[in-house]
Short mmCIF file of all heavy atoms in Angstrom, two decimals:
data_model
loop_
_atom_site.label_atom_id
_atom_site.label_comp_id
_atom_site.label_asym_id
_atom_site.label_seq_id
_atom_site.Cartn_x
_atom_site.Cartn_y
_atom_site.Cartn_z
N LYS A 46 -13.80 15.46 11.05
CA LYS A 46 -13.30 14.60 9.98
C LYS A 46 -13.41 13.14 10.41
O LYS A 46 -13.19 12.82 11.58
CB LYS A 46 -11.83 14.90 9.68
CG LYS A 46 -11.62 16.03 8.67
CD LYS A 46 -10.18 16.17 8.28
CE LYS A 46 -9.95 17.35 7.34
NZ LYS A 46 -10.45 17.13 5.97
N GLU A 54 -0.89 -1.33 15.48
CA GLU A 54 -1.95 -2.14 16.11
C GLU A 54 -3.06 -2.49 15.13
O GLU A 54 -4.06 -3.09 15.50
CB GLU A 54 -2.57 -1.36 17.29
CG GLU A 54 -1.57 -0.91 18.35
CD GLU A 54 -0.79 -2.08 18.91
OE1 GLU A 54 -1.39 -3.13 19.19
OE2 GLU A 54 0.45 -1.95 19.05
N GLY A 55 -2.94 -2.04 13.89
CA GLY A 55 -3.93 -2.34 12.87
C GLY A 55 -4.60 -1.08 12.35
O GLY A 55 -4.20 0.03 12.68
N GLY A 63 -14.01 18.68 15.44
CA GLY A 63 -13.61 20.10 15.41
C GLY A 63 -12.29 20.38 14.71
O GLY A 63 -11.79 21.51 14.75
N GLY A 74 -2.02 17.45 11.99
CA GLY A 74 -1.68 16.02 12.12
C GLY A 74 -2.68 15.06 11.54
O GLY A 74 -2.40 13.86 11.45
N VAL A 95 -10.51 10.73 18.22
CA VAL A 95 -9.13 11.21 18.35
C VAL A 95 -9.15 12.34 19.39
O VAL A 95 -9.81 13.36 19.19
CB VAL A 95 -8.61 11.76 17.00
CG1 VAL A 95 -7.18 12.29 17.16
CG2 VAL A 95 -8.66 10.69 15.92
N THR A 100 1.91 15.90 15.06
CA THR A 100 2.55 15.51 13.80
C THR A 100 3.99 15.05 14.01
O THR A 100 4.76 15.72 14.68
CB THR A 100 2.57 16.69 12.81
OG1 THR A 100 1.27 17.25 12.74
CG2 THR A 100 3.01 16.26 11.42
N MET A 120 -1.26 3.30 -2.80
CA MET A 120 -0.73 2.48 -1.71
C MET A 120 -1.68 2.49 -0.50
O MET A 120 -1.87 1.48 0.17
CB MET A 120 0.67 2.97 -1.29
CG MET A 120 1.70 2.75 -2.38
SD MET A 120 3.41 2.74 -1.76
CE MET A 120 3.68 4.45 -1.44
N THR A 143 7.99 3.32 5.38
CA THR A 143 9.23 3.40 4.60
C THR A 143 8.93 3.79 3.16
O THR A 143 9.62 4.63 2.58
CB THR A 143 9.96 2.03 4.63
OG1 THR A 143 10.17 1.68 5.99
CG2 THR A 143 11.29 2.07 3.91
N PHE A 147 10.24 6.85 0.88
CA PHE A 147 10.88 6.64 -0.43
C PHE A 147 10.16 7.44 -1.51
O PHE A 147 10.78 7.99 -2.41
CB PHE A 147 10.84 5.15 -0.83
CG PHE A 147 11.80 4.25 -0.10
CD1 PHE A 147 11.72 2.87 -0.24
CD2 PHE A 147 12.80 4.77 0.72
CE1 PHE A 147 12.60 2.02 0.40
CE2 PHE A 147 13.69 3.92 1.38
CZ PHE A 147 13.59 2.55 1.22
N ASP A 152 12.00 7.18 -7.49
CA ASP A 152 11.08 6.89 -8.60
C ASP A 152 9.76 6.31 -8.06
O ASP A 152 9.74 5.21 -7.51
CB ASP A 152 11.80 5.88 -9.53
CG ASP A 152 10.88 5.31 -10.59
OD1 ASP A 152 9.80 5.88 -10.83
OD2 ASP A 152 11.25 4.27 -11.19
N GLY A 154 7.25 4.90 -9.47
CA GLY A 154 6.87 3.59 -10.02
C GLY A 154 7.63 2.47 -9.31
O GLY A 154 7.03 1.46 -8.92
N LEU A 168 1.22 -10.47 3.65
CA LEU A 168 -0.14 -10.94 3.94
C LEU A 168 -0.34 -12.42 3.59
O LEU A 168 -1.44 -12.95 3.69
CB LEU A 168 -1.17 -10.08 3.19
CG LEU A 168 -1.36 -8.69 3.80
CD1 LEU A 168 -2.14 -7.79 2.85
CD2 LEU A 168 -2.08 -8.77 5.15
N GLU A 173 5.07 -17.72 -6.21
CA GLU A 173 6.27 -18.54 -6.43
C GLU A 173 7.08 -17.89 -7.55
O GLU A 173 6.60 -17.77 -8.67
CB GLU A 173 5.83 -19.97 -6.82
CG GLU A 173 6.96 -20.88 -7.27
CD GLU A 173 8.04 -21.02 -6.21
OE1 GLU A 173 7.74 -21.52 -5.14
OE2 GLU A 173 9.20 -20.62 -6.50
N LEU A 174 8.30 -17.46 -7.24
CA LEU A 174 9.11 -16.73 -8.22
C LEU A 174 10.38 -17.48 -8.62
O LEU A 174 11.21 -16.93 -9.34
CB LEU A 174 9.51 -15.35 -7.65
CG LEU A 174 8.38 -14.38 -7.32
CD1 LEU A 174 8.94 -13.07 -6.77
CD2 LEU A 174 7.52 -14.10 -8.56
N VAL A 176 10.62 -21.40 -9.11
CA VAL A 176 10.45 -22.61 -9.93
C VAL A 176 9.01 -22.68 -10.45
O VAL A 176 8.15 -21.94 -9.99
CB VAL A 176 10.74 -23.90 -9.11
CG1 VAL A 176 12.21 -23.97 -8.69
CG2 VAL A 176 9.83 -23.99 -7.89
N ILE A 184 13.13 -22.38 -14.21
CA ILE A 184 12.63 -21.53 -15.30
C ILE A 184 13.83 -20.90 -15.99
O ILE A 184 14.53 -20.08 -15.40
CB ILE A 184 11.71 -20.41 -14.72
CG1 ILE A 184 10.58 -20.98 -13.87
CG2 ILE A 184 11.21 -19.50 -15.82
CD1 ILE A 184 9.42 -21.57 -14.61
N SER A 191 1.03 -17.29 -13.49
CA SER A 191 -0.38 -17.53 -13.22
C SER A 191 -0.86 -16.56 -12.14
O SER A 191 -0.43 -16.64 -10.99
CB SER A 191 -0.61 -18.97 -12.75
OG SER A 191 -1.91 -19.07 -12.22
N LEU A 197 5.10 -18.66 -11.04
CA LEU A 197 5.64 -18.97 -12.36
C LEU A 197 5.18 -20.33 -12.87
O LEU A 197 4.92 -21.25 -12.09
CB LEU A 197 7.17 -18.98 -12.28
CG LEU A 197 7.86 -17.66 -11.97
CD1 LEU A 197 9.36 -17.89 -11.86
CD2 LEU A 197 7.54 -16.62 -13.03
N ILE A 212 5.63 -13.16 -18.66
CA ILE A 212 6.51 -12.32 -17.83
C ILE A 212 7.92 -12.44 -18.41
O ILE A 212 8.41 -13.55 -18.66
CB ILE A 212 6.46 -12.72 -16.32
CG1 ILE A 212 7.36 -11.79 -15.50
CG2 ILE A 212 6.80 -14.19 -16.08
CD1 ILE A 212 7.13 -11.87 -13.99
N LEU A 248 1.20 -6.91 -11.05
CA LEU A 248 0.96 -6.84 -9.59
C LEU A 248 -0.39 -6.21 -9.28
O LEU A 248 -1.09 -6.63 -8.35
CB LEU A 248 2.09 -6.05 -8.91
CG LEU A 248 3.46 -6.75 -8.92
CD1 LEU A 248 4.57 -5.80 -8.49
CD2 LEU A 248 3.44 -7.98 -8.01
#
Side-chain angles (χ1 to χ4, degrees):
K46 273 188 184 287
E54 304 304 317
V95 179
T100 311
M120 293 201 286
T143 304
F147 285 171
D152 171 16
L168 286 167
E173 172 58 62
L174 298 180
V176 294
I184 305 282
S191 167
L197 295 177
I212 181 166
L248 292 168

